[in-house]
Amino acid sequence: MYDQSKLSELTRFAGIDAGSTVIDVYPGDGDWTRLFSDIVGPVGRVYSFVPAEVAHFKNDPLGRMSTLAKEPGRENVEAVSADLIAMPKVTQPADVLWLHLFYHDLHTALMQAKGATAADFNRAVYERLKPGGRYVIVDHAAAAGVGTSEAQSLHRIDPASVRKEVEAAGFVLDAESTLLANKDDPHSVKVFDPSIKGKTDRFAYRFVKP
């Protein structure tokens, strides 16, 4: 999805390095899990966390991550699954929790089907991170002021709403990046629309647990 320079900048932004413990939430094809596995090395750990809310999908997301964890050199990867807010029960204290193009889904019917809310998940993240741990969120930006109202329809979310919700859980905003910004995104079309797919205006926040 990104060229090498952006990948390098994003991992630096997240503060992922050798020996880190990272939780990759809703890992998709596993590209981030593989990248983090390479970076953290044999002393580090990567939890590829598949929320139970999506584990039933036909593409078998948990099975795919379990297969990934068996690849040569992936001994530092563990595929795990639980209800979204039970994430702390299947992972260990982490240095970084990575959420790529997923935060908005916390405001969709699918992810709330078992009763979880964004506030619940943010508290779970706070519980699981070590003191000084980093909660890194990259997502599709909605127009300023729309809040969470377009999370279901356009798969976008207002960055200000994300900041407000995450800070309410006790996190402190440590940094933000405009690396993935696109001023030409009209913010009015679904992120899968051919006119903007892969080129959406994206924000990146790094929060820290005090």
Side-chain angles (χ1 to χ4, degrees), residues 85-132:
I85 59 174
M87 177 269 297
K89 296 181 180 179
V90 295
T91 55
Q92 294 296 313
D95 301 292
V96 178
L97 187 135
W98 175 260
L99 212 60
H100 183 257
L101 307 184
F102 179 73
Y103 190 94
H104 68 273
D105 285 305
L106 298 173
H107 289 277
T108 63
L110 172 65
M111 298 311 299
Q112 295 179 355
K114 296 189 177 186
T117 66
D120 293 330
F121 180 72
N122 289 332
R123 284 192 292 268
V125 176
Y126 191 92
E127 175 187 342
R128 182 36 71 218
L129 285 175
K130 301 173 184 178

Side-chain angles (χ1 to χ4, degrees), residues 101-108 139-144 146-159 161-162 182 184-193 195-203:
L101 307 184
F102 179 73
Y103 190 94
H104 68 273
D105 285 305
L106 298 173
H107 289 277
T108 63
D139 214 336
H140 306 284
V146 305
T148 63
S149 64
E150 295 178 347
Q152 185 84 48
S153 58
L154 302 184
H155 293 270
R156 297 175 178 271
I157 192 165
D158 183 349
S161 293
V162 175
N182 178 9
D184 296 322
D185 182 348
H187 300 111
S188 58
V189 295
K190 186 176 288 191
V191 300
F192 308 116
D193 188 285
S195 66
I196 200 66
K197 185 178 180 180
K199 301 177 292 183
T200 53
D201 181 24
R202 301 175 188 184
F203 61 93

Side-chain angles (χ1 to χ4, degrees), residues 64-87:
R64 294 169 72 193
M65 292 307 101
S66 296
T67 299
L68 183 158
K70 296 174 184 175
E71 293 175 357
R74 301 294 178 206
E75 292 81 8
N76 59 3
V77 174
E78 184 175 349
V80 295
S81 184
D83 288 354
L84 189 64
I85 59 174
M87 177 269 297

